[in-house]
Amino acid sequence: MKTMHTKFAIMTTASMLALGAYAAHAQEQIRAISAFPQALAFSQSFQGFVDLVNEKGEGVVQITYAGGPEMFPPNQQVDAVRRGVIDMQYGPASYYLGTMPEADAWVGSTVTAAEARENGGFGIMQQAFREKLGVELLAHLDTGVEFHVYTIQEPRRTEDGGVDLSGLRIRSQPIYNAFFEEIGAIPVSVPVPDVYTGLERSTFDGSGWPIVGIKDLSWDRFLRYRIDPGVFQTDLAVVINPAKWEGLSDEAKAIIEEAAAEYEQTSYENFQQVISETDATVREEGMTVVELEDEQAAEFRRMAFESAWARMQAAGSEHYDALRSAYYPE
């Protein structure tokens, strides 16, 4: 009887040790969503980040890409992360300018994510995300994608080589309105799903949009003129719920941080290739590029970038000077 009890105790102890070892090595799971439909180039890029984490984190940590705006409205997704309804999210930081004016540092940035990590800008942005949105910032992906102004008809030119957009109704987003107004255009707020119909019916005269995705949405069927140079920069963040982040093992955190820094550079390089290919394709298909040169090009860019920094300054951000120095070195 004593022997049987001893054997049972040994077996129970061994089982508990085995279960403990299994638990210690069980993969930690993260559920992630995107602000964009999964078919768009930006969501496909986020999938690349997910794949990289899963490759590096096999047996330690895995991310499940659970969906896009069909799960939560894009401008409510970060709040869902803050509340722990979802673990991770990828999308524009500028959706939350009313709460975190520091998002304009990315809109008005002229440096890459890798450069911002080195000069301290990224660390300041992490602090802003924690304090004002209640989430942990992991990455600034897909940098280097600029914003362009497209028109249906050829834009008027000025005597000094600029463009005259006076009176043109241009589809916009709130973050670009001040710039559009400064160059004489009338910004029009139209949800992305309704833009194609609006262009088809000539409800407005053009649109602002990054060069990436212009063909995915088929807007290039109507937008036949593009004004260069491009301005602004993508502001796409990967964030995670703070409690979820703190609950991860040190090994899992290290894997995600390593993947984040690596993929920031990879996504930058990938999109430079996409930009080059898209530019060549739309030119071949008949899009005319209206190129501003020298002083006119410099002034066009200055007005765009300064509109973002002026908005942050007006909002009274305590990080204005440090962020401007890091993200908009002059």
Side-chain angles (χ1 to χ4, degrees), residues 216-313:
D216 292 348
L217 296 163
S218 298
W219 294 357
D220 58 312
R221 290 186 58 187
F222 309 101
L223 299 173
R224 305 308 295 160
Y225 295 87
R226 187 185 80 214
I227 299 172
D228 278 10
V231 294
F232 301 121
Q233 188 167 188
T234 31
D235 59 323
L236 298 168
V238 177
V239 300
I240 191 169
N241 173 269
K244 182 69 176 183
W245 179 247
E246 289 305 316
L248 295 176
S249 66
D250 290 343
E251 184 180 9
K253 289 180 184 176
I255 288 169
I256 294 171
E257 289 175 332
E258 178 185 340
E262 180 180 329
Y263 199 74
E264 282 176 343
Q265 182 63 27
T266 298
S267 66
Y268 171 81
E269 294 169 357
N270 288 346
F271 271 113
Q272 295 312 297
Q273 181 65 30
V274 172
I275 289 168
S276 178
E277 292 172 355
T278 303
D279 180 46
T281 299
V282 296
R283 287 174 187 260
E284 289 172 4
E285 294 177 352
M287 183 177 287
T288 299
V289 178
V290 179
E291 297 190 23
L292 305 183
E293 299 179 355
D294 304 326
E295 292 181 6
Q296 292 302 319
E299 178 63 10
F300 189 75
R301 284 177 61 82
R302 186 199 66 78
M303 287 191 294
F305 288 106
E306 288 293 347
S307 70
W309 291 102
R311 185 168 49 235
M312 190 201 301
Q313 188 175 36

XYZ file of all heavy atoms in Angstrom, residues 216-313:
798
model
N -5.131 49.897 -57.013
C -5.936 48.918 -56.280
C -7.391 49.360 -56.205
O -8.306 48.535 -56.253
C -5.400 48.740 -54.851
C -4.043 48.065 -54.818
O -3.621 47.532 -55.859
O -3.403 48.079 -53.751
N -7.598 50.671 -56.083
C -8.939 51.229 -55.950
C -9.560 51.603 -57.297
O -10.708 52.043 -57.353
C -8.894 52.470 -55.049
C -8.472 52.192 -53.602
C -8.044 53.479 -52.912
C -9.600 51.527 -52.832
N -8.769 51.483 -58.369
C -9.204 51.813 -59.741
C -9.524 53.285 -59.923
O -10.195 53.667 -60.891
C -10.423 50.958 -60.149
O -10.092 49.591 -60.158
N -9.013 54.136 -59.045
C -9.251 55.573 -59.201
C -8.490 56.131 -60.398
O -8.846 57.192 -60.915
C -8.829 56.327 -57.945
C -9.646 56.004 -56.737
C -10.739 55.171 -56.654
C -9.435 56.506 -55.412
N -11.217 55.128 -55.366
C -10.447 55.938 -54.578
C -8.512 57.380 -54.847
C -10.527 56.220 -53.220
C -8.595 57.667 -53.492
C -9.589 57.093 -52.684
N -7.448 55.421 -60.828
C -6.656 55.901 -61.961
C -7.446 55.895 -63.268
O -7.001 56.479 -64.262
C -5.383 55.066 -62.111
C -5.660 53.589 -62.315
O -6.464 53.022 -61.555
O -5.088 53.009 -63.250
N -8.608 55.280 -63.271
C -9.463 55.339 -64.458
C -9.955 56.761 -64.710
O -10.261 57.129 -65.854
C -10.673 54.420 -64.283
C -10.355 52.941 -64.311
C -11.631 52.120 -64.276
N -12.523 52.446 -65.402
C -13.751 51.966 -65.520
N -14.258 51.156 -64.593
N -14.493 52.306 -66.556
N -10.026 57.572 -63.656
C -10.558 58.932 -63.764
C -9.504 59.997 -63.471
O -9.541 61.077 -64.062
C -11.735 59.108 -62.801
C -12.772 58.022 -62.918
C -12.809 56.972 -61.998
C -13.692 58.014 -63.953
C -13.754 55.965 -62.108
C -14.639 57.009 -64.077
C -14.670 55.974 -63.150
N -8.600 59.698 -62.549
C -7.568 60.660 -62.169
C -6.412 60.539 -63.155
O -5.588 59.642 -63.061
C -7.096 60.387 -60.736
C -8.182 60.502 -59.663
C -7.654 60.034 -58.311
C -8.700 61.931 -59.571
N -6.366 61.467 -64.108
C -5.421 61.343 -65.214
C -4.221 62.276 -65.088
O -3.313 62.233 -65.928
C -6.134 61.609 -66.547
C -7.357 60.735 -66.776
C -7.044 59.251 -66.584
N -6.112 58.757 -67.579
C -5.377 57.658 -67.440
N -5.437 56.960 -66.321
N -4.569 57.273 -68.401
N -4.198 63.119 -64.049
C -3.078 64.039 -63.841
C -2.603 63.933 -62.390
O -3.412 63.927 -61.463
C -3.486 65.489 -64.155
C -3.826 65.690 -65.611
C -5.124 65.442 -66.069
C -2.856 66.094 -66.530
C -5.449 65.606 -67.417
C -3.165 66.251 -67.869
C -4.459 66.002 -68.307
O -4.763 66.150 -69.636
N -1.295 63.829 -62.220
C -0.696 63.756 -60.881
C 0.297 64.894 -60.731
O 1.135 65.108 -61.606
C 0.028 62.430 -60.672
C 0.516 62.221 -59.243
C 1.337 60.949 -59.113
N 2.713 61.121 -59.568
C 3.437 60.188 -60.168
N 2.912 59.000 -60.425
N 4.676 60.426 -60.540
N 0.203 65.608 -59.622
C 1.115 66.725 -59.364
C 2.288 66.222 -58.531
O 2.105 65.654 -57.463
C 0.388 67.877 -58.638
C -0.760 68.404 -59.517
C 1.368 69.001 -58.315
C -1.649 69.405 -58.811
N 3.472 66.410 -59.043
C 4.703 66.078 -58.317
C 5.419 67.371 -57.944
O 5.310 68.357 -58.671
C 5.613 65.214 -59.208
C 5.233 63.750 -59.203
O 4.161 63.429 -58.670
O 5.983 62.930 -59.763
N 6.132 67.424 -56.818
C 6.548 66.291 -55.992
C 5.468 65.829 -55.017
O 4.490 66.532 -54.772
C 7.738 66.866 -55.214
C 7.383 68.318 -55.055
C 6.702 68.698 -56.346
N 5.685 64.628 -54.456
C 4.830 64.137 -53.396
C 5.135 64.863 -52.098
O 6.202 65.484 -51.939
N 4.193 64.800 -51.175
C 4.346 65.473 -49.883
C 3.867 64.556 -48.762
O 3.276 63.503 -49.009
C 3.553 66.800 -49.858
C 4.130 67.795 -50.849
C 2.070 66.557 -50.171
N 4.109 64.988 -47.543
C 3.708 64.233 -46.350
C 4.345 62.832 -46.325
O 5.216 62.522 -47.128
C 2.182 64.125 -46.245
C 1.466 65.428 -46.176
C 0.515 65.782 -47.125
C 1.746 66.331 -45.156
C -0.152 66.998 -47.056
C 1.085 67.562 -45.082
C 0.134 67.884 -46.036
N 3.909 62.001 -45.385
C 4.414 60.643 -45.276
C 3.390 59.785 -44.532
O 2.570 60.304 -43.771
C 5.753 60.607 -44.534
C 6.400 59.237 -44.570
C 7.861 59.230 -44.117
O 8.517 58.217 -44.236
N 8.387 60.326 -43.624
N 3.444 58.495 -44.785
C 2.513 57.576 -44.136
C 2.718 57.552 -42.623
O 3.830 57.658 -42.125
C 2.694 56.158 -44.705
O 4.074 55.986 -45.085
C 1.834 55.936 -45.917
N 1.601 57.355 -41.905
C 1.615 57.445 -40.430
C 1.053 56.159 -39.822
O 0.230 56.193 -38.919
C 0.783 58.647 -39.978
C -0.663 58.564 -40.450
O -0.887 58.085 -41.568
O -1.577 58.971 -39.697
N 1.505 55.019 -40.323
C 0.901 53.729 -39.972
C 1.612 53.082 -38.784
O 2.791 52.738 -38.854
C 0.921 52.808 -41.186
C 0.105 53.372 -42.367
C 0.372 52.595 -43.641
C -1.372 53.360 -42.039
N 0.855 52.908 -37.718
C 1.405 52.398 -36.459
C 0.942 50.973 -36.193
O -0.157 50.579 -36.580
C 0.958 53.289 -35.307
N 1.777 50.217 -35.502
C 1.378 48.936 -34.907
C 1.380 49.138 -33.402
O 2.404 49.505 -32.822
C 2.328 47.788 -35.286
C 1.898 46.496 -34.583
C 2.359 47.586 -36.796
N 0.226 48.924 -32.775
C 0.103 49.117 -31.326
C -0.436 47.842 -30.686
O -1.052 47.001 -31.348
C -0.816 50.307 -30.988
C -0.266 51.596 -31.571
C -2.247 50.062 -31.482
N -0.203 47.725 -29.370
C -0.656 46.551 -28.635
C -1.212 46.984 -27.278
O -0.799 48.025 -26.732
C 0.501 45.526 -28.460
C -0.013 44.185 -27.936
C 1.586 46.082 -27.550
C 1.033 43.069 -27.998
N -2.139 46.217 -26.759
C -2.715 46.486 -25.444
C -1.618 46.393 -24.377
O -0.863 45.418 -24.347
C -3.824 45.468 -25.160
C -4.364 45.578 -23.753
O -3.867 44.909 -22.860
N -5.364 46.409 -23.572
N -1.496 47.397 -23.487
C -0.414 47.406 -22.493
C -0.408 46.186 -21.575
O 0.658 45.634 -21.273
C -0.666 48.683 -21.702
C -1.418 49.562 -22.633
C -2.286 48.646 -23.428
N -1.593 45.743 -21.133
C -1.640 44.575 -20.247
C -1.201 43.324 -20.993
O -0.494 42.472 -20.426
C -3.054 44.396 -19.694
N -1.605 43.216 -22.250
C -1.171 42.075 -23.059
C 0.339 42.095 -23.234
O 0.997 41.055 -23.114
C -1.862 42.123 -24.424
C -1.526 40.947 -25.336
C -2.125 39.663 -24.810
C -1.888 38.496 -25.759
N -2.535 37.262 -25.293
N 0.878 43.294 -23.501
C 2.324 43.424 -23.699
C 3.078 43.054 -22.428
O 4.054 42.295 -22.485
C 2.648 44.857 -24.115
C 4.102 45.129 -24.328
C 4.906 45.937 -23.574
C 4.937 44.600 -25.364
N 6.183 45.946 -24.072
C 6.230 45.139 -25.170
C 4.711 43.731 -26.428
C 7.300 44.832 -26.020
C 5.777 43.423 -27.269
C 7.052 43.959 -27.064
N 2.631 43.564 -21.288
C 3.326 43.262 -20.038
C 3.211 41.793 -19.664
O 4.087 41.249 -18.979
C 2.759 44.135 -18.905
C 3.128 45.602 -19.012
C 4.631 45.817 -19.103
O 5.376 45.166 -18.334
O 5.063 46.616 -19.950
N 2.141 41.141 -20.109
C 1.948 39.734 -19.792
C 2.770 38.782 -20.638
O 2.865 37.592 -20.314
N 3.376 39.293 -21.711
C 4.208 38.436 -22.554
C 5.534 38.134 -21.866
O 6.032 38.926 -21.064
C 4.482 39.113 -23.900
C 3.282 39.357 -24.826
C 3.731 40.132 -26.062
C 2.624 38.040 -25.240
N 6.112 37.018 -22.211
C 7.428 36.678 -21.677
C 8.469 37.623 -22.255
O 8.264 38.250 -23.306
C 7.790 35.239 -22.050
O 7.960 35.116 -23.462
N 9.590 37.737 -21.575
C 10.680 38.579 -22.077
C 11.139 38.098 -23.449
O 11.498 38.917 -24.314
C 11.859 38.565 -21.096
C 11.545 39.314 -19.804
O 10.577 40.101 -19.802
O 12.269 39.108 -18.815
N 11.125 36.780 -23.653
C 11.545 36.232 -24.943
C 10.588 36.659 -26.047
O 11.015 37.057 -27.136
C 11.606 34.695 -24.875
C 12.124 34.055 -26.152
C 12.185 32.537 -26.078
O 11.657 31.976 -25.097
O 12.749 31.914 -27.004
N 9.287 36.603 -25.766
C 8.298 37.003 -26.755
C 8.418 38.493 -27.089
O 8.347 38.897 -28.255
C 6.893 36.701 -26.252
N 8.608 39.316 -26.055
C 8.768 40.754 -26.284
C 9.992 41.033 -27.164
O 9.933 41.861 -28.088
C 8.926 41.486 -24.954
C 7.673 41.569 -24.110
C 7.989 42.322 -22.817
C 6.798 42.356 -21.885
N 7.143 42.999 -20.595
N 11.089 40.356 -26.863
C 12.321 40.575 -27.627
C 12.130 40.191 -29.094
O 12.628 40.877 -29.998
C 13.470 39.777 -27.016
N 11.399 39.110 -29.336
C 11.145 38.669 -30.716
C 10.327 39.716 -31.470
O 10.638 40.081 -32.612
C 10.411 37.315 -30.707
C 11.370 36.201 -30.268
C 9.812 36.997 -32.085
C 10.681 34.888 -29.965
N 9.285 40.230 -30.830
C 8.417 41.219 -31.486
C 9.172 42.526 -31.726
O 9.061 43.128 -32.801
C 7.158 41.464 -30.634
C 6.301 40.198 -30.593
C 6.340 42.633 -31.189
C 5.149 40.259 -29.613
N 9.952 42.966 -30.758
C 10.712 44.211 -30.923
C 11.746 44.082 -32.032
O 11.937 45.010 -32.830
C 11.385 44.587 -29.605
C 10.404 45.073 -28.537
C 11.067 45.334 -27.204
O 12.092 44.684 -26.907
O 10.547 46.174 -26.453
N 12.398 42.928 -32.102
C 13.378 42.704 -33.170
C 12.692 42.697 -34.536
O 13.174 43.310 -35.494
C 14.091 41.369 -32.950
C 15.103 41.032 -34.042
C 15.722 39.650 -33.864
O 15.680 39.112 -32.741
O 16.233 39.107 -34.859
N 11.553 42.018 -34.616
C 10.813 41.958 -35.877
C 10.307 43.339 -36.275
O 10.307 43.695 -37.458
C 9.649 40.978 -35.754
N 9.866 44.141 -35.305
C 9.343 45.475 -35.590
C 10.411 46.360 -36.225
O 10.178 46.997 -37.258
C 8.810 46.116 -34.315
N 11.585 46.405 -35.619
C 12.667 47.231 -36.160
C 13.108 46.731 -37.531
O 13.365 47.526 -38.448
C 13.845 47.243 -35.189
N 13.174 45.424 -37.683
C 13.592 44.847 -38.965
C 12.562 45.130 -40.057
O 12.911 45.517 -41.179
C 13.785 43.336 -38.815
C 14.212 42.636 -40.104
C 14.391 41.135 -39.916
O 14.762 40.715 -38.796
O 14.150 40.387 -40.886
N 11.287 44.974 -39.708
C 10.261 45.119 -40.734
C 10.004 46.585 -41.093
O 9.538 46.880 -42.187
C 8.962 44.433 -40.318
C 8.066 44.179 -41.517
C 8.375 43.171 -42.424
C 6.953 44.969 -41.772
C 7.591 42.946 -43.552
C 6.162 44.759 -42.880
C 6.490 43.738 -43.767
O 5.719 43.534 -44.888
N 10.307 47.503 -40.191
C 10.226 48.917 -40.561
C 11.104 49.195 -41.773
O 10.680 49.878 -42.717
C 10.650 49.795 -39.383
C 9.587 49.950 -38.312
C 10.066 50.753 -37.120
O 11.299 50.922 -36.975
O 9.218 51.187 -36.323
N 12.317 48.658 -41.762
C 13.225 48.864 -42.884
C 12.793 48.055 -44.107
O 12.812 48.559 -45.231
C 14.654 48.483 -42.486
C 15.686 48.719 -43.578
C 15.828 50.185 -43.970
O 15.566 51.077 -43.150
N 16.216 50.447 -45.201
N 12.370 46.821 -43.873
C 11.922 45.972 -44.984
C 10.725 46.577 -45.697
O 10.670 46.623 -46.930
C 11.553 44.573 -44.464
O 12.709 43.964 -43.881
C 11.030 43.683 -45.589
N 9.749 47.054 -44.926
C 8.548 47.625 -45.540
C 8.873 48.910 -46.290
O 8.287 49.195 -47.341
C 7.467 47.878 -44.481
O 7.848 48.869 -43.555
N 9.812 49.690 -45.770
C 10.257 50.895 -46.479
C 10.817 50.519 -47.848
O 10.444 51.102 -48.880
C 11.312 51.631 -45.658
C 11.988 52.757 -46.413
C 11.376 54.006 -46.522
C 13.225 52.556 -47.026
C 11.985 55.037 -47.224
C 13.840 53.576 -47.732
C 13.222 54.817 -47.829
O 13.824 55.831 -48.536
N 11.705 49.536 -47.859
C 12.322 49.114 -49.121
C 11.295 48.504 -50.069
O 11.323 48.756 -51.281
C 13.449 48.115 -48.826
C 14.617 48.744 -48.069
C 15.602 47.716 -47.542
O 15.344 46.498 -47.727
O 16.620 48.117 -46.944
N 10.377 47.707 -49.525
C 9.339 47.090 -50.360
C 8.487 48.146 -51.048
O 8.179 48.045 -52.246
C 8.448 46.180 -49.513
C 9.131 44.902 -49.083
O 10.178 44.544 -49.604
N 8.547 44.217 -48.121
N 8.099 49.174 -50.289
C 7.220 50.185 -50.862
C 7.953 51.096 -51.849
O 7.327 51.630 -52.767
C 6.527 50.994 -49.775
C 5.230 50.380 -49.344
C 5.068 49.856 -48.076
C 4.167 50.295 -50.231
C 3.866 49.272 -47.686
C 2.963 49.711 -49.858
C 2.808 49.196 -48.582
N 9.259 51.263 -51.680
C 9.994 52.017 -52.699
C 9.922 51.295 -54.047
O 9.780 51.925 -55.103
C 11.453 52.214 -52.275
C 11.635 53.070 -51.040
C 10.840 54.357 -51.081
O 11.059 55.207 -51.944
N 9.893 54.509 -50.163
N 9.958 49.975 -53.999
C 9.830 49.187 -55.223
C 8.406 49.287 -55.777
O 8.212 49.457 -56.989
C 10.178 47.721 -54.938
C 10.115 46.804 -56.150
C 11.135 47.144 -57.210
O 12.206 47.650 -56.896
N 10.800 46.886 -58.467
N 7.411 49.204 -54.902
C 6.010 49.322 -55.333
C 5.760 50.698 -55.959
O 5.090 50.815 -56.992
C 5.047 49.092 -54.150
C 3.609 49.418 -54.549
C 5.144 47.659 -53.659
N 6.300 51.745 -55.332
C 6.141 53.106 -55.853
C 6.731 53.213 -57.251
O 6.115 53.766 -58.173
C 6.799 54.122 -54.902
C 5.987 54.241 -53.613
C 6.957 55.484 -55.568
C 6.702 54.992 -52.513
N 7.938 52.680 -57.414
C 8.602 52.733 -58.719
C 7.786 52.004 -59.785
O 7.593 52.512 -60.903
C 10.003 52.119 -58.612
O 10.645 52.115 -59.862
N 7.289 50.819 -59.443
C 6.515 50.030 -60.400
C 5.179 50.701 -60.721
O 4.758 50.740 -61.889
C 6.285 48.625 -59.839
C 7.558 47.798 -59.733
C 7.348 46.493 -58.996
O 6.219 46.283 -58.479
O 8.312 45.691 -58.924
N 4.502 51.235 -59.686
C 3.219 51.891 -59.903
C 3.384 53.143 -60.757
O 2.592 53.405 -61.666
C 2.565 52.263 -58.558
O 2.412 51.088 -57.769
C 1.207 52.917 -58.769
N 4.432 53.908 -60.469
C 4.700 55.118 -61.240
C 4.896 54.780 -62.721
O 4.325 55.437 -63.601
C 5.934 55.820 -60.679
C 6.276 57.088 -61.433
O 5.365 57.889 -61.696
O 7.460 57.279 -61.774
N 5.701 53.767 -62.985
C 5.948 53.373 -64.381
C 4.668 52.913 -65.057
O 4.395 53.269 -66.223
C 6.997 52.267 -64.426
N 3.851 52.158 -64.333
C 2.612 51.617 -64.920
C 1.621 52.718 -65.263
O 1.062 52.743 -66.371
C 1.962 50.608 -63.958
O 2.862 49.526 -63.721
C 0.660 50.072 -64.535
N 1.379 53.638 -64.327
C 0.372 54.681 -64.598
C 0.837 55.620 -65.707
O 0.023 56.117 -66.495
C -0.001 55.469 -63.326
C -0.661 54.557 -62.299
C 1.195 56.206 -62.723
N 2.139 55.853 -65.796
C 2.652 56.676 -66.890
C 2.429 55.971 -68.231
O 2.002 56.596 -69.211
C 4.139 56.974 -66.697
C 4.450 57.983 -65.588
C 5.944 58.091 -65.383
N 6.335 58.893 -64.241
C 6.745 60.169 -64.304
N 6.794 60.787 -65.471
N 7.100 60.810 -63.212
N 2.719 54.676 -68.261
C 2.516 53.904 -69.491
C 1.050 53.873 -69.904
O 0.720 53.836 -71.090
C 3.018 52.468 -69.296
C 4.530 52.336 -69.222
C 4.964 50.936 -68.841
O 4.079 50.052 -68.705
O 6.180 50.728 -68.658
N 0.157 53.906 -68.911
C -1.274 53.837 -69.188
C -1.896 55.211 -69.443
O -3.114 55.334 -69.558
C -1.984 53.133 -68.035
C -1.587 51.658 -67.922
C -2.226 50.959 -66.741
O -2.855 51.655 -65.908
O -2.106 49.725 -66.643
N -1.049 56.231 -69.527
C -1.534 57.532 -69.971
C -1.688 58.608 -68.933
O -2.124 59.716 -69.260
N -1.326 58.354 -67.676
C -1.401 59.418 -66.679
C -0.305 60.444 -66.952
O 0.846 60.079 -67.209
C -1.260 58.868 -65.266
C -1.394 59.941 -64.189
S -1.325 59.257 -62.504
C -2.935 58.461 -62.391
N -0.659 61.710 -66.903
C 0.302 62.789 -67.102
C 0.788 63.295 -65.749
O -0.025 63.593 -64.869
C -0.339 63.958 -67.876
O -0.759 63.486 -69.159
C 0.651 65.099 -68.065
N 2.097 63.371 -65.594
C 2.682 63.864 -64.348
C 3.056 65.329 -64.536
O 3.858 65.674 -65.401
C 3.915 63.041 -63.946
C 4.547 63.601 -62.672
C 3.531 61.576 -63.753
N 2.435 66.187 -63.744
C 2.705 67.628 -63.768
C 3.812 67.890 -62.755
O 3.588 67.848 -61.544
C 1.440 68.430 -63.415
C 1.738 69.924 -63.428
C 0.308 68.087 -64.378
N 5.009 68.142 -63.248
C 6.163 68.236 -62.366
C 6.506 69.687 -62.037
O 6.830 70.468 -62.931
C 7.363 67.537 -63.000
C 7.154 66.041 -63.203
C 8.429 65.322 -63.606
O 9.516 65.841 -63.312
O 8.316 64.242 -64.202
N 6.424 70.017 -60.761
C 6.889 71.321 -60.295
C 8.397 71.238 -60.121
O 8.935 70.198 -59.738
C 6.229 71.695 -58.978
C 4.700 71.691 -58.957
C 4.198 72.149 -57.585
C 4.141 72.572 -60.052
N 9.072 72.325 -60.373
C 10.531 72.302 -60.321
C 11.067 73.415 -59.434
O 10.406 74.425 -59.186
C 11.115 72.429 -61.727
C 10.711 71.289 -62.660
C 11.276 71.433 -64.056
O 11.904 72.485 -64.327
O 11.084 70.513 -64.869
N 12.270 73.193 -58.947
C 13.059 74.192 -58.229
C 12.256 74.887 -57.130
O 11.742 74.244 -56.243
C 13.645 75.206 -59.224
C 14.469 74.540 -60.320
O 15.114 73.521 -60.019
O 14.440 75.017 -61.460
N 12.154 76.219 -57.203
C 11.520 76.977 -56.133
C 10.056 76.607 -55.946
O 9.559 76.573 -54.812
C 11.640 78.482 -56.417
C 13.062 79.018 -56.337
C 13.121 80.510 -56.592
O 12.038 81.140 -56.711
O 14.243 81.055 -56.666
N 9.346 76.337 -57.040
C 7.939 75.982 -56.931
C 7.755 74.641 -56.237
O 6.848 74.464 -55.421
C 7.286 75.970 -58.316
C 7.176 77.340 -58.954
C 6.385 78.304 -58.076
O 5.376 77.943 -57.488
N 6.855 79.541 -57.995
N 8.622 73.682 -56.555
C 8.559 72.377 -55.901
C 8.877 72.506 -54.415
O 8.197 71.912 -53.561
C 9.542 71.415 -56.570
N 9.905 73.288 -54.091
C 10.293 73.476 -52.697
C 9.181 74.163 -51.904
O 8.894 73.788 -50.762
C 11.579 74.288 -52.627
N 8.531 75.162 -52.502
C 7.463 75.876 -51.818
C 6.239 74.993 -51.625
O 5.570 75.040 -50.590
C 7.091 77.138 -52.604
C 5.955 77.954 -52.014
C 6.258 78.518 -50.626
O 7.421 78.450 -50.166
O 5.316 79.032 -49.987
N 5.941 74.171 -52.613
C 4.813 73.233 -52.539
C 5.010 72.287 -51.352
O 4.097 72.071 -50.548
C 4.734 72.459 -53.849
C 3.517 71.603 -54.024
C 2.275 72.168 -54.324
C 3.599 70.214 -53.928
C 1.148 71.380 -54.512
C 2.479 69.419 -54.116
C 1.251 70.002 -54.407
N 6.218 71.753 -51.232
C 6.512 70.843 -50.129
C 6.523 71.587 -48.792
O 6.024 71.077 -47.786
C 7.850 70.139 -50.358
C 7.765 69.042 -51.402
C 9.126 68.392 -51.676
N 9.711 67.765 -50.512
C 9.408 66.551 -50.061
N 8.488 65.835 -50.684
N 10.016 66.045 -49.010
N 7.076 72.798 -48.777
C 7.125 73.548 -47.523
C 5.715 73.797 -46.990
O 5.456 73.610 -45.800
C 7.840 74.885 -47.743
C 8.058 75.664 -46.439
C 8.321 77.140 -46.714
N 7.134 77.796 -47.290
C 6.089 78.170 -46.568
N 6.033 77.949 -45.251
N 5.059 78.757 -47.160
N 4.805 74.213 -47.864
C 3.439 74.483 -47.425
C 2.784 73.229 -46.855
O 2.064 73.288 -45.855
C 2.609 75.024 -48.593
C 2.944 76.440 -48.983
S 1.731 77.159 -50.145
C 2.000 76.135 -51.588
N 3.047 72.093 -47.490
C 2.450 70.844 -47.020
C 2.967 70.472 -45.633
O 2.182 70.277 -44.691
C 2.751 69.723 -48.015
N 4.271 70.388 -45.488
C 4.836 69.929 -44.220
C 4.559 70.923 -43.089
O 4.249 70.526 -41.967
C 6.330 69.664 -44.368
C 6.641 68.437 -45.177
C 7.135 68.533 -46.468
C 6.414 67.176 -44.654
C 7.407 67.397 -47.225
C 6.683 66.031 -45.393
C 7.175 66.144 -46.686
N 4.657 72.203 -43.390
C 4.416 73.200 -42.346
C 2.970 73.173 -41.872
O 2.690 73.509 -40.716
C 4.786 74.595 -42.850
C 6.282 74.843 -42.982
C 7.016 74.855 -41.649
O 6.350 74.907 -40.582
O 8.263 74.801 -41.671
N 2.033 72.770 -42.735
C 0.634 72.696 -42.305
C 0.460 71.671 -41.190
O -0.337 71.870 -40.270
C -0.278 72.361 -43.496
O -0.102 71.023 -43.940
N 1.212 70.575 -41.264
C 1.131 69.548 -40.219
C 1.759 70.046 -38.915
O 1.181 69.886 -37.829
C 1.824 68.274 -40.683
N 2.929 70.672 -39.017
C 3.613 71.130 -37.812
C 2.885 72.304 -37.163
O 2.847 72.427 -35.927
C 5.069 71.472 -38.130
C 5.843 70.236 -38.445
C 6.209 69.774 -39.681
C 6.277 69.247 -37.506
N 6.861 68.565 -39.571
C 6.933 68.221 -38.260
C 6.209 69.124 -36.125
C 7.485 67.093 -37.653
C 6.771 68.006 -35.511
C 7.394 67.005 -36.275
N 2.275 73.158 -37.981
C 1.503 74.275 -37.423
C 0.308 73.762 -36.637
O -0.053 74.318 -35.588
C 1.041 75.196 -38.553
N -0.306 72.683 -37.126
C -1.463 72.111 -36.420
C -1.034 71.541 -35.067
O -1.714 71.731 -34.050
C -2.105 71.032 -37.294
C -3.378 70.447 -36.741
C -4.104 69.606 -37.781
N -3.230 68.657 -38.436
C -3.086 68.588 -39.781
N -3.746 69.407 -40.566
N -2.269 67.692 -40.315
N 0.113 70.841 -35.031
C 0.579 70.295 -33.757
C 0.929 71.409 -32.777
O 0.601 71.337 -31.591
C 1.800 69.389 -33.951
C 2.160 68.626 -32.679
S 3.850 67.998 -32.590
C 3.897 66.944 -34.020
N 1.589 72.440 -33.278
C 1.971 73.555 -32.412
C 0.736 74.248 -31.844
O 0.687 74.584 -30.651
C 2.831 74.549 -33.192
C 3.433 75.645 -32.330
C 4.380 76.526 -33.115
O 4.153 76.814 -34.290
N 5.461 76.954 -32.483
